[in-house]
Amino acid sequence: MRLINTTTLELKSFADDDEVTYQEIMTRDIRSSPVASKKGFHKIAMTCRLAREKHALEWAWIDTCCIDKSSSAELSEAINSMYDYYSKSEICFACLEELNLRRPEPPDDEDSVADSGGSDDGWEVYPKGIQACRWFSRGWTLQGLIAPSNLEFRDSQWNIRGTKKSLSKALEIIAGICEEVLKDGELHWSPVATRMSWAARRNTKRDEDMAYCLLGIFDVNMPLLYGEGGEKAFLRLQEEILKINPNPSLFAWTTDWLTILLERFCGVLATSPSKFRDTPRLLPTTGLQLEPPDISTTRIPPRLWT
């Protein structure tokens, strides 16, 4: 966001001061620049160190600094491709910044963590601290949880606290995503309403991003139109979903009576993922091929009532 100084008339860009941007990461000798004092730089440095030293990886991708957000074309391409990036990654790291308790590094064999009886994985010992971590309430981290086959959870000191594989039972409770999906990443058997419910209690800084962060979850591509508003973006998302997956569960959303009284009218499509908050857990579809229902949408122009 750019704002103008009311005294000097100087323009200034405002962003999250703790995160390192694409423009800042391009700074020569960044380790000795003021950017290195940002909290976000520590995450970048630790991600690169773990990728290099523990997994012998030469390259890493970090969404905060590897996307030139000043380029609308590049931003759109990155967001539409992000789920694919995660699913094809060798390893992903999730930093749970609110988790401050130190733990020693576990053995290199991650399976030994899973087989240790639950008391050594950090999640059963400190369940309240884990559930309070903001990582599980952010919209953008939903695909980062589902898509990668290898995901490590690190605390604020970057000690490992488990993997998606070893913590799948706890993650099912915390994130509301069935263990089978977390283990194999297969989404096509999950009804549309079920996938929407995964995002019902999450949030994003920009209203439109609540729709854009779900593109990969539904295998949908669509242009980004920042400024259209979150409701319009979410309606566009649902229309695109209907084109490729006319699943009637998309209409299995609810709203409260106060909203109905205030708005008076509502359409058949929901206005946000939060409308799926109370959607009951639907059974996954099976391999049985059924004739898809004939569902289409039509834009009705507004009418003036006299």
Side-chain angles (χ1 to χ4, degrees):
M1 174 189 290
R2 291 188 183 92
L3 299 177
I4 187 170
N5 187 296
T6 58
T7 301
T8 65
L9 304 185
E10 177 187 4
L11 280 175
K12 183 178 180 180
S13 296
F14 289 83
D16 189 338
D17 292 337
D18 285 331
E19 297 294 351
V20 178
T21 65
Y22 166 84
Q23 285 76 16
E24 290 173 330
I25 202 71
M26 295 295 288
T27 303
R28 181 175 297 181
D29 196 15
I30 189 173
R31 288 185 174 85
S32 59
S33 72
V35 176
S37 63
K38 287 190 170 185
K39 185 169 64 173
F41 180 79
H42 180 64
K43 291 192 294 185
I44 294 172
M46 287 303 300
T47 297
C48 292
R49 177 183 173 184
L50 288 172
R52 182 181 65 255
E53 296 181 359
K54 290 191 172 295
H55 300 278
L57 297 173
E58 187 177 2
W59 300 95
W61 186 84
I62 304 170
D63 61 348
T64 56
C65 64
C66 290
I67 305 173
D68 182 2
K69 295 180 175 67
S70 65
S71 168
S72 58
E74 181 173 336
L75 179 61
S76 180
E77 178 184 0
I79 290 180
N80 277 278
S81 306
M82 197 174 292
Y83 191 90
D84 199 42
Y85 293 167
Y86 287 130
S87 64
K88 293 180 179 178
S89 65
E90 183 73 21
I91 183 73
C92 284
F93 306 115
C95 179
L96 307 180
E97 297 174 325
E98 296 83 5
L99 213 58
N100 297 317
L101 297 172
R102 293 175 177 269
R103 295 181 71 248
E105 286 284 334
D108 290 335
D109 182 9
E110 293 293 344
D111 289 336
S112 64
V113 178
D115 297 336
S116 60
S119 61
D120 196 31
D121 63 14
W123 293 70
E124 298 297 332
V125 179
Y126 313 110
K128 292 183 179 179
I130 294 294
Q131 292 179 357
C133 291
R134 289 181 301 164
W135 197 88
F136 294 102
S137 64
R138 294 178 55 214
W140 286 111
T141 57
L142 178 59
Q143 56 188 339
L145 173 61
I146 297 174
S149 56
N150 296 312
L151 173 62
E152 291 182 356
F153 291 93
R154 302 265 171 173
D155 60 24
S156 61
Q157 304 300 319
W158 286 82
N159 300 310
I160 191 168
R161 304 297 286 267
T163 67
K164 185 170 76 167
K165 177 183 177 182
S166 66
L167 306 172
S168 58
K169 291 184 181 299
L171 289 171
E172 180 176 25
I173 298 172
I174 295 171
I177 304 172
C178 66
E179 190 176 2
E180 291 75 16
V181 171
L182 292 171
K183 285 183 176 180
D184 58 31
E186 292 292 336
L187 296 175
H188 59 279
W189 300 125
S190 299
V192 171
T194 298
R195 282 181 265 178
M196 286 292 187
S197 70
W198 300 338
R201 291 174 173 80
R202 293 175 178 257
N203 55 76
T204 56
K205 290 183 179 179
R206 303 186 69 168
D207 291 342
E208 296 88 349
D209 282 340
M210 202 60 249
Y212 301 158
C213 73
L214 298 176
L215 296 180
I217 301 295
F218 294 100
D219 196 20
V220 165
N221 292 92
M222 71 182 199
L224 312 184
L225 302 175
Y226 283 106
E228 67 176 324
E231 184 174 322
K232 288 183 178 179
F234 191 62
L235 290 174
R236 280 204 301 129
L237 171 66
Q238 293 172 92
E239 290 172 352
E240 293 300 318
I241 292 173
L242 286 173
K243 292 177 183 178
I244 62 173
N245 184 11
N247 189 297
S249 74
L250 182 62
F251 309 119
W253 55 275
T254 60
T255 190
D256 57 89
W257 282 106
L258 179 60
T259 301
I260 295 175
L261 291 174
L262 292 176
E263 296 180 355
R264 296 185 63 193
F265 302 104
C266 63
V268 295
L269 297 178
T271 54
S272 76
S274 64
K275 301 296 185 182
F276 293 86
R277 181 190 300 264
D278 299 320
T279 299
R281 184 170 179 176
L282 303 175
L283 295 176
T285 56
T286 63
L288 179 63
Q289 297 298 317
L290 301 176
E291 187 70 23
D294 184 14
I295 300 174
S296 62
T297 59
T298 303
R299 291 283 186 174
I300 301 177
R303 294 179 56 185
L304 295 177
W305 296 87
T306 58

